[in-house]
Amino acid sequence: MSSSELKQDLTGKVAIVTGSARGIGQAIAHALADRGADVVITDVLEDEARATSAEIIARGRRSLAIRCDVANRQEVENLVQQTATELGRLDILVNNAGITRDALLVRMTDEQWDRVLDINLKGTFLACQAAAKLMMKARSGKIVNIASVVGITGNPGQANYSASKAGVIALTRTIAKELGSRNITVNAVAPGFIETEMTRRLSDAARQAFLDKIPANRPGLPEDVANAVCFLCSPGADYITGQCIAVDGGLTSH
């Protein structure tokens, strides 16, 4: 194995990826497994989570599928404890679980606001808190929170989502300062326009409007996000913490 490969090697590490039954979270879970990590798949989509977990096992890694509503403290604490009990440790946490409930500001309901903030921001806080307790004892760990470019730029119709993702970025930077002395890195990845089930439902005109703003002239793939996450989880990123890396083809570069 070359030195560059060693810097990306995650053999023997145990990771939790929230919201990993499908989409970007699933791609992250696959990529971590391909680099040697054992991966816990957690989602509210139980059947799809079990299927993704089976795919990880087929790659020769250990895996668990655990249902978890990340906005529920007890379920999050149980998730972390079950991981440590059954797989022996926790080295990596990727907070990917997130939802949208889009509406213009003047039409947005309390329920739309509260649910998005509960899942996207409170869920990230709860998982970071639970994982940090184990990582601090081990004096080692990697946390990567999935934010969004709209947490940097804002986006009409997404006041709740944009606020939640801006909060994730600020939370990331604060936790990085708190945990840095314990050899725990905490970073965020902010995806831009990524090919997912949601973006594939856009009209051709809406899709083109996005592409016109991207210097790379193409949408991103879930694997593009996964590659950035895996780097931040690897030994090659040991001196990177408190950062938010946009994976957006240059969308926020101007």
Side-chain angles (χ1 to χ4, degrees):
M1 186 178 291
S2 69
S3 60
S4 61
E5 288 173 326
L6 282 171
K7 289 180 180 179
Q8 292 283 318
D9 184 37
L10 299 175
T11 300
K13 303 297 185 181
V14 172
I16 292 174
V17 184
T18 69
S20 49
R22 63 186 183 187
I24 291 173
Q26 183 185 63
I28 292 169
H30 285 166
L32 290 169
D34 287 343
R35 288 161 175 79
D38 299 324
V39 186
V40 175
I41 306 299
T42 181
D43 210 300
V44 294
L45 303 172
E46 296 181 73
D47 290 343
E48 293 176 63
R50 283 192 289 268
T52 299
S53 181
E55 293 168 0
I56 300 299
I57 293 170
R59 283 167 151 81
R61 310 301 174 197
R62 295 183 299 167
S63 182
L64 306 172
I66 302 174
R67 187 195 184 282
C68 179
D69 175 356
V70 295
N72 183 303
R73 174 179 291 279
Q74 191 60 58
E75 291 189 22
V76 171
E77 291 180 352
N78 289 344
L79 165 69
V80 170
Q81 188 56 54
Q82 187 175 345
T83 298
T85 298
E86 297 194 30
L87 298 183
R89 57 192 293 161
L90 176 60
D91 304 284
I92 295 166
L93 169 67
V94 181
N95 284 303
N96 171 75
I99 63 169
T100 58
R101 295 288 186 273
D102 295 351
L104 292 174
L105 173 68
V106 295
R107 297 175 183 167
M108 187 171 290
T109 66
D110 286 357
E111 189 280 331
Q112 288 172 316
W113 176 270
D114 290 343
R115 190 57 180 160
V116 169
L117 271 290
D118 275 351
I119 297 294
N120 298 3
L121 184 54
K122 182 183 177 183
T124 299
F125 157 70
L126 290 175
C128 285
Q129 187 180 62
K133 293 174 183 177
L134 287 182
M135 292 177 176
M136 288 173 72
K137 289 179 182 177
R139 300 192 68 85
S140 177
K142 304 278 188 178
I143 297 174
V144 180
N145 299 322
I146 305 302
S148 170
V149 293
V150 304
I152 301 169
T153 64
N155 198 41
Q158 290 193 311
N160 49 4
Y161 187 74
S162 299
S164 73
K165 293 303 187 177
V168 166
I169 294 169
L171 178 67
T172 297
R173 289 176 171 150
T174 298
I175 297 174
K177 292 178 185 293
E178 292 187 10
L179 302 183
S181 64
R182 302 297 183 96
N183 195 36
I184 301 167
T185 66
V186 189
N187 292 289
V189 169
F193 184 73
I194 307 297
E195 285 278 21
T196 62
E197 183 178 333
M198 181 175 67
T199 58
R200 282 191 289 271
R201 293 198 296 264
L202 292 172
S203 68
D204 289 343
R207 180 184 178 85
Q208 191 58 49
F210 273 110
L211 291 176
D212 288 343
K213 300 175 184 177
I214 300 173
N217 199 36
R218 71 166 178 88
L221 300 174
E223 291 74 18
D224 293 318
V225 180
N227 288 336
V229 171
C230 285
F231 169 67
L232 292 172
C233 293
S234 74
D238 281 351
Y239 199 57
I240 299 172
T241 195
Q243 303 304 306
C244 178
I245 298 176
V247 180
D248 65 357
L251 179 63
T252 56
S253 63
H254 53 80

